[in-house]
């Protein structure tokens, strides 16, 4: 399907808002990642994989579902799961009803690592994000961002 043609340029305030959003996302991601890596053997992407598996039924997801949940390519998820598997946080199993499919399964070590890392991560989210807004601003910000994901 062809992309619609651009009918106008962005205004200065539109470009400022876009760039501000990109800078804020990049900065928060870098800071939260560095805090996790400094205290735990875990990247932000690895943390996200563990969270998705912890929230999944039976703590397991097909690799394609995991890739969709963490917004990584399938090859990116495969490499990340490789590292988590070597660290003992995740295992892979054949999908029961389909011998071709593979599921990632959260291990006890993965649960324990996630529990410890969550303290660091959520404290960082509070410090670097939540504390910069009033409660009503957070509600509005969440609603505005939801428009982008719908």
């Amino acid at each position: 399907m062809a992309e619609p043609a651009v009918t106008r340029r962005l205004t200065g305030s539109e470009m400022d808002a876009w760039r501000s959003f990109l800078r804020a996302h990049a900065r928060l991601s870098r800071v939260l990642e560095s805090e996790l890596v400094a205290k735990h053997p875990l990247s932000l992407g690895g943390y996200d994989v563990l969270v998705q598996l912890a929230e999944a039924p039976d703590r397991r997801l097909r690799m394609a579902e995991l890739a969709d949940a963490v917004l990584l390519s399938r090859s990116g998820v495969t490499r990340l799961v490789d590292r988590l598997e070597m660290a003992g946080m995740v295992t892979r199993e054949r999908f029961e009803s389909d011998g071709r499919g593979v599921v990632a399964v959260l291990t006890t070590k993965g649960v324990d690592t996630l529990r410890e890392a969550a303290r660091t991560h959520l404290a960082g989210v509070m410090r670097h994000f939540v504390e910069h807004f009033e409660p009503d601003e957070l509600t509005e910000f969440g609603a505005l961002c939801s428009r982008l994901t719908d």
Side-chain angles (χ1 to χ4, degrees):
M1 185 172 173
E3 293 291 322
V6 176
T7 57
R8 68 173 179 84
R9 292 177 157 265
L10 283 111
T11 66
S13 62
E14 290 168 339
M15 184 59 79
D16 289 346
W18 173 243
R19 287 179 177 161
S20 180
F21 169 77
L22 291 177
R23 281 191 301 275
H25 178 269
R27 180 189 171 281
L28 287 172
S29 295
R30 279 192 308 269
V31 168
L32 294 172
E33 169 105 16
S34 68
E35 290 177 353
L36 274 175
V37 170
K39 294 188 178 183
H40 310 280
L42 199 58
S43 67
L44 193 54
Y47 178 85
D48 192 16
V49 166
L50 297 182
V51 167
Q52 296 304 321
L53 291 173
E55 293 177 350
D58 299 321
R59 296 181 174 159
R60 63 184 56 230
L61 282 173
R62 291 183 91 159
M63 293 296 287
E65 294 170 323
L66 186 56
D68 290 342
V70 296
L71 304 174
L72 289 173
S73 67
R74 289 187 183 172
S75 62
V77 166
T78 299
R79 288 188 300 273
L80 187 50
V81 170
D82 285 345
R83 290 190 297 274
L84 293 171
E85 189 172 31
M86 286 190 301
M89 293 181 236
V90 172
T91 60
R92 288 190 187 132
E93 298 176 1
R94 288 274 170 215
F95 191 61
E96 292 138 8
S97 67
D98 178 358
R100 298 172 295 139
V102 175
V103 294
V105 182
L106 187 63
T107 66
T108 301
K109 182 177 180 182
V111 170
D112 293 342
T113 300
L114 177 60
R115 193 170 287 126
E116 291 174 23
R119 289 186 200 107
T120 300
H121 180 66
L122 297 176
V125 169
M126 182 68 78
R127 188 172 51 259
H128 303 297
F129 178 72
V130 172
E131 290 177 357
H132 293 266
F133 299 98
E134 295 297 323
D136 59 322
E137 291 175 318
L138 277 173
T139 300
E140 183 178 3
F141 185 73
L144 293 169
C145 287
S146 289
R147 283 192 215 164
L148 301 174
T149 59
D150 292 341

